[in-house]
Amino acid sequence: MKNQVSASVLSADLLHLEDEIKRLEQSGAEMLHFDVMDGIFVNNISYGLPLLEQVRGATEMILDVHLMITKPERYVERFVKKGADIVSFHIEATDDVIGTISAIKNAGAKAAVAIKPNTPAEAVFEFLPLLDMVLVMTVEPGFGGQSLIPETLRKVEIIRQKAQDIGLDLDIEVDGGINADTAPEAKKAGANVIVSGSFLFHADDMKKTVELIKKGNKC
């Protein structure tokens, strides 16, 4: 599996976002991670379609959109049209998982489901053949700067093993609490797409930090 870093825009300096994107492009990070929050599914509100459209016009980086919203099926096509390359939605936020996956793929993007820390790994099993990626939340969704919940990494192991058992080359992404200690643990568990926010944006050497996250070594 290719190891990739997805930089969380939530931790960027939004007043100077174009400069932040240029730094990321030079760092070797492959993706920009957009946390879209509606204040209903999670207790916070972030940004949405207008910002995504502006960023799409400023970079060719992969735009990794994480929808933390109720009834995501209502909006996935619009996010793809505004530039999303990957759309992750929460399995807990919709009654139509298969329909939402189909809507994302029909719009031309890769589809991923996300699960909260209390949702069992087995909840995604039936959907794995339809997916490009699974996003395992390693913190409670809605706010940055939290500490990784160690028990969530066991779910990464379970999903990776299940994917291998059924012959799938599946990306597994982790989001939340990534730092010098937890990045290697997430990789060891089977994650290959690592979301990094404050740890990455506040690093003295962003390029070196990206390289170390990808290698899974202590930083």
Side-chain angles (χ1 to χ4, degrees):
M1 299 296 298
K2 181 181 179 182
N3 297 322
Q4 300 182 81
V5 172
S6 190
S8 178
V9 174
L10 199 62
S11 296
D13 180 354
L14 293 181
L15 286 178
H16 303 93
L17 186 54
E18 186 173 7
D19 292 334
E20 295 280 61
I21 291 171
K22 289 178 181 177
R23 279 210 303 152
L24 287 167
E25 288 174 334
Q26 295 168 1
S27 75
E30 291 85 359
M31 303 183 187
L32 287 174
H33 187 84
F34 275 76
D35 288 312
V36 179
M37 310 176 196
D38 64 358
I40 301 172
F41 180 70
V42 294
N43 248 350
N44 202 1
I45 297 173
S46 60
Y47 34 70
L49 293 162
L51 181 62
L52 180 66
E53 183 177 25
Q54 291 294 313
V55 171
R56 176 74 290 166
T59 185
E60 295 183 1
M61 292 182 72
I62 297 168
L63 301 187
D64 172 27
V65 175
H66 176 196
L67 299 181
M68 289 175 270
I69 63 176
T70 58
K71 299 186 182 300
E73 62 272 16
R74 297 177 297 175
Y75 298 102
V76 292
E77 184 177 356
R78 293 169 65 185
F79 275 97
V80 176
K81 286 183 177 179
K82 293 299 184 182
D85 296 297
I86 305 169
V87 178
S88 302
F89 66 95
H90 274 266
I91 200 170
E92 308 92 352
T94 181
D95 294 323
D96 187 9
V97 175
I98 292 177
T100 307
I101 294 170
S102 296
I104 294 168
K105 292 201 165 189
N106 289 340
K110 292 184 177 181
V113 295
I115 54 174
K116 296 166 70 174
N118 289 334
T119 300
E122 291 77 9
V124 305
F125 280 7
E126 66 179 290
F127 308 113
L128 292 181
L130 305 175
L131 294 169
D132 299 290
M133 185 170 76
V134 173
L135 167 54
V136 176
M137 289 299 300
T138 45
V139 298
E140 289 295 337
F143 296 91
Q146 300 179 63
S147 296
L148 182 143
I149 301 169
E151 293 78 12
T152 59
L153 296 182
R154 175 58 183 155
K155 292 196 293 184
V156 175
E157 294 176 349
I158 293 169
I159 294 168
R160 174 61 70 204
Q161 186 61 58
K162 181 63 175 181
Q164 290 175 345
D165 289 345
I166 59 179
L168 294 178
D169 189 24
L170 183 75
D171 286 326
I172 299 179
E173 183 174 48
V174 289
D175 181 4
I178 294 300
N179 57 36
D181 296 315
T182 58
E185 295 303 316
K187 290 288 306 310
K188 183 179 178 181
N192 69 297
V193 181
I194 310 296
V195 177
S196 185
S198 56
F199 177 62
L200 178 59
F201 280 98
H202 298 163
D204 292 332
D205 189 331
M206 184 178 280
K207 183 174 183 180
K208 181 178 179 181
T209 302
V210 168
E211 291 173 351
L212 291 172
I213 291 172
K214 289 182 183 182
K215 292 176 181 178
N217 296 331
K218 294 279 186 177
C219 301

